[in-house]
Amino acid sequence: TWNNRRDDVAKAAEAVVTELQRSSGGLPAGTKTIDAALLDAAATAIAADEDRTHGGFGGAPKFPPSNLLEGLVRNYERSGSAEVLGLVERAAAAMARGGIYDQLGGGFARYSVDAGWVVPHFEKMLYDNALLLRVYAHLARVTNAALPRRVTEETVAFLLRDLRTEQGCFASALDADTDGVEGLTYVWTPEQLVDTLGPDDGAWAARLFAVTAVGTFEEGASVLQLPADPEDVDRYARVRARLFEARQARPQPGRDDKVVTAWNGFAVTALAEAGATLGRPDWVDAAATCARVLLDTHLVEGRLRRASLGGVVGEPAGVLEDYGALITALLAVYQATGELGWLAPARALADTALEQFADPERPGSWFDTAHDAETLVARPRDPVDGATPSGAALITEALLTLAAAVEEGRYADAVDNSLGAVSLLLDRAPRSAGHWLTVAEAAVRGPIQVAVAGGGELLDAARAVAPGGAIVVGGVPDSSPLLADRPLVDGAPTAYECRGFVCDRPGTAVPDLLEVLAAS
């Protein structure tokens, strides 16, 4: 064709380039106001698409709807909708009990090849597990239920055990295959259970984990599931530990050791938030360690790089999602630790993002590559959320949080422009706007700011009950922007619940704070 129909090739190429340039123009302007009514309508539309039989959305192959679930938890916190909470709980339970979740080692596989979450594609991605960790930790805090709390703890254990690199951040993925065979590490037959556990525990484990003679996978093997919690908790813990030990002796999947900025940002945010709200300072420490590595390694002459390997940063420049995810991560660590030093790099990265990625001709629209990046056929921008949040949604979340943490009007203006530009997506295609729903829910509520002068029990309570997207900062008076001119009252720790730096009457009692936050 190249030799004999060169004109046709040129015309086809021109048509492709024209379409790429046309489709890179961004969303048309929205006509809706981002308010509670729009967000409730979006949640209702999302709920209408639920798979009420298996949980989640759609058929095979079935992917974890991480972005949607976090947005819906935040919608529930504001609206109190039992329908919305029920959807989240059904999806979370179905995934956690299915084969997509590693019942022995914790962590989620990439997707389920069937509609019922039974048989996974065994690859484990950092971004899936980090985003799902945020969801399960949030759900555990909201419902105080055992299942999301257990999944949170086990997923953190998986991240720290299997994906943490020598430098202190997190590798990109574990392979689906082991020695060229998919699932080799993970599947079991009834005979293998008996060989490992003995006849009594082996038969009990087969019933517990839905391992049958027919099998759910290939050659009569089964992926472990947990359809119901065992009555004998001690026996379950003992059996699970022995099976995991035996599995560790099998050949293991390879690991992709690339440290991707955005994906590690997701992990830092999830660990910091989960650690702060569920009382695990060791998780916060892990988050802070990774955040420091990212700043020391991936930030080169004021600009982010996309990834590193073995502690050596690569040449490719960071894209919009890297900036958005890392800024949010730094602000999560700032809130969880109270250390003011995390604010300065967050602000510097935000300033760079505004300078390099914002479209000066269309306020609220963002390019995915920097102004000074390599020139392409069309400069990409895609505000639609996919397996991971869009770069535009991530930078909007980052700027919303930053605007609430420091009094800087231009950050808030950029958020207003971004949300205004995406209202069409929330109105017409909310299934493709899960992270936008997450951000918009926080924006509609203020976002809520809680400044606790003095910390202690009052700060712990604020972290435990403040809704998703709230900014919670503690420390001595005047130690950070939110604590400026906010003193102790009668020498006691004091909480200030605010929106836009306008605060309600300060309180020193935990019940009073809980009452104020419940009414927010």
Side-chain angles (χ1 to χ4, degrees):
T1 303
W2 177 255
N3 288 327
N4 301 320
R5 297 169 54 195
R6 185 75 59 87
D7 289 345
D8 291 344
V9 173
K11 289 177 182 177
E14 183 179 352
V16 169
V17 169
T18 299
E19 179 58 24
L20 286 172
Q21 292 172 336
R22 185 198 65 79
S23 63
S24 67
L27 291 172
T31 58
K32 298 280 188 176
T33 300
I34 300 287
D35 58 14
L38 175 62
L39 302 186
D40 290 342
T44 299
I46 292 167
D49 289 340
E50 181 192 7
D51 177 356
R52 294 297 290 261
T53 301
H54 302 296
F57 304 93
K62 202 166 202 173
F63 290 80
S66 313
N67 299 323
L68 286 171
L69 295 182
E70 175 64 20
L72 291 173
V73 173
R74 294 192 183 191
N75 177 267
Y76 163 74
E77 288 183 298
R78 179 186 53 76
S79 70
S81 169
E83 179 184 14
V84 168
L85 180 61
L87 184 160
V88 175
E89 290 181 312
R90 287 188 291 273
M95 290 189 295
R97 296 195 179 282
I100 193 174
Y101 182 67
D102 184 346
Q103 303 296 339
L104 299 183
F108 291 85
R110 180 69 196 91
Y111 61 86
S112 173
V113 302
D114 58 278
W117 306 109
V118 177
V119 178
H121 175 61
F122 290 90
E123 184 180 27
K124 289 182 177 178
M125 303 298 300
L126 172 61
Y127 59 76
D128 286 318
N129 284 281
L131 295 170
L132 286 168
L133 172 59
R134 192 183 201 189
V135 172
Y136 278 90
H138 196 170
L139 186 61
R141 179 176 60 74
V142 168
T143 65
N144 200 32
L147 180 62
R149 177 68 186 243
R150 175 174 65 80
V151 172
T152 297
E153 293 170 346
E154 292 173 0
T155 302
V156 172
F158 160 70
L159 290 174
L160 297 179
R161 181 190 65 238
D162 293 344
L163 291 188
R164 200 173 195 194
T165 67
E166 182 180 349
Q167 291 74 34
C169 279
F170 299 93
S172 294
L174 295 181
D175 292 345
D177 298 347
T178 301
D179 294 343
V181 180
E182 185 167 0
L184 178 66
T185 302
Y186 300 103
V187 297
W188 297 81
T189 64
E191 293 77 18
Q192 289 172 327
L193 293 177
V194 170
D195 288 345
T196 303
L197 300 170
D200 290 341
D201 279 349
W204 184 80
R207 294 191 298 271
L208 180 69
F209 292 117
V211 176
T212 67
V214 175
T216 57
F217 191 56
E218 299 170 352
E219 300 179 358
S222 293
V223 182
L224 300 189
Q225 303 174 70
L226 189 67
D229 289 336
E231 294 183 4
D232 191 335
V233 177
D234 292 337
R235 188 181 192 184
Y236 166 67
R238 184 176 68 253
V239 163
R240 184 171 177 266
R242 289 170 62 191
L243 289 176
F244 181 72
E245 182 180 5
R247 196 182 80 180
Q248 289 296 90
R250 295 175 173 180
Q252 299 297 305
R255 191 174 83 170
D256 179 352
D257 279 342
K258 286 194 307 297
V259 172
V260 177
T261 302
W263 304 356
N264 275 264
F266 301 156
V268 169
T269 296
L271 286 167
E273 290 180 353
T277 60
L278 299 180
R280 291 296 300 264
D282 52 325
W283 298 353
V284 176
D285 290 343
T289 296
C290 182
R292 176 51 56 197
V293 170
L294 293 173
L295 289 176
D296 290 345
T297 306
H298 288 212
L299 188 60
V300 180
E301 297 180 353
R303 301 290 291 276
L304 284 178
R305 301 281 180 86
R306 175 65 173 165
S308 64
L309 182 65
V312 179
V313 72
E315 289 296 325
V319 294
L320 181 61
E321 71 165 0
D322 295 311
Y323 283 81
L326 183 54
I327 295 166
T328 296
L330 298 177
L331 294 171
V333 175
Y334 160 62
Q335 294 177 72
T337 62
E339 296 172 4
L340 190 61
W342 298 103
L343 269 183
R347 295 186 71 161
L349 288 170
D351 293 342
T352 300
L354 285 167
E355 175 187 326
Q356 289 292 333
F357 296 94
D359 184 347
E361 298 181 1
R362 297 185 59 184
S365 186
W366 299 85
F367 292 105
D368 289 319
T369 56
H371 291 317
D372 58 4
E374 178 185 1
T375 301
L376 305 172
V377 167
R379 190 175 175 192
R381 60 173 148 198
D382 185 1
V384 176
D385 294 325
T388 58
S390 67
L394 287 167
I395 195 64
T396 304
E397 177 184 30
L399 294 174
L400 176 68
T401 307
L402 186 57
V406 300
E407 195 164 12
E408 186 74 53
R410 62 199 184 94
Y411 299 142
D413 291 343
V415 171
D416 291 341
N417 290 333
S418 294
L419 290 176
V422 83
S423 63
L424 181 70
L425 194 60
L426 283 164
D427 182 37
R428 303 280 183 84
R431 281 272 305 275
S432 299
H435 201 68
W436 284 113
L437 178 61
T438 293
V439 179
E441 284 289 351
V444 163
R445 298 187 80 167
I448 295 170
Q449 302 153 303
V450 183
V452 181
E457 184 181 77
L458 206 56
L459 178 58
D460 292 340
R463 287 172 171 163
V465 301
I471 316 303
V472 180
V473 175
V476 299
D478 298 313
S479 62
S480 68
L482 274 181
L483 289 165
D485 300 320
R486 291 186 179 132
L488 305 178
V489 172
D490 297 330
T494 304
Y496 297 81
E497 195 267 348
C498 319
R499 287 175 182 78
F501 293 86
V502 177
C503 302
D504 291 336
R505 182 172 58 86
T508 58
V510 169
D512 293 341
L513 174 62
L514 301 184
E515 182 179 348
V516 168
L517 288 175
S520 298

